[in-house]
Amino acid sequence: MDHTSDPNAMRYRIDPKRLDLVDEFRKSPLGVHGPELRAMLAKMRWGRAQGRLVLVVLEAGKAWRLSRIPERRGEPMPFVDERIFTSLAEAEWHVFKLRWQDMTGVTLPAEYQGDL
């Protein structure tokens, strides 16, 4: 069951003390995740579309850039900054950290602040 078939996925509350889930994601941003991490990721990745952080493919399999879904459909997707990622895992880790901060109001400890 995933976020599209689980009616409770959006009710998941992210516990900022659950650094074990942060560790699990950091070790394998693109890998298979356990049920609790999957629930947390569903909460982070879905919900209101407008303003949501997304990765835009600049070159398939080679380059990504961070953007936000615009307020109105059809408007340009604004890039968040100038950074271009050449690793999808690194891009996903970066987005995870931003979403964590935004959704919990808690900054991850220093040991989680760097790149992979």
Side-chain angles (χ1 to χ4, degrees):
M1 188 174 291
D2 63 11
H3 68 277
T4 60
S5 57
D6 181 359
N8 295 313
M10 293 313 298
R11 293 188 188 124
Y12 182 85
R13 294 187 56 94
I14 299 172
D15 180 353
K17 296 176 187 155
R18 292 295 309 271
L19 296 179
D20 59 309
L21 297 176
V22 176
D23 285 327
E24 181 183 347
F25 184 81
R26 187 177 191 188
K27 288 176 185 169
S28 184
L30 306 177
V32 177
H33 303 120
E36 285 195 66
L37 179 55
R38 283 196 313 269
M40 185 173 79
L41 291 173
K43 177 71 172 185
M44 289 177 141
R45 291 174 174 165
W46 298 97
R48 184 174 181 265
Q50 293 81 7
R52 183 184 321 143
L53 289 169
V54 294
L55 290 170
V56 175
V57 177
L58 300 177
E59 187 177 350
K62 293 184 180 181
W64 300 264
R65 198 156 166 208
L66 187 59
S67 182
R68 287 193 183 274
I69 295 177
E71 289 298 316
R72 283 197 265 255
R73 186 180 211 122
E75 290 181 352
M77 293 188 57
F79 291 116
V80 172
D81 55 29
E82 298 300 315
R83 185 169 181 182
I84 295 174
F85 296 93
T86 56
S87 160
L88 182 56
E90 189 61 55
E92 290 286 355
W93 172 238
H94 183 72
V95 173
F96 178 92
K97 292 183 294 183
L98 293 173
R99 288 175 176 157
W100 178 276
Q101 170 72 37
D102 184 52
M103 297 181 90
T104 67
V106 175
T107 302
L108 285 168
E111 61 266 25
Y112 296 102
Q113 292 305 316
D115 294 338
L116 291 178

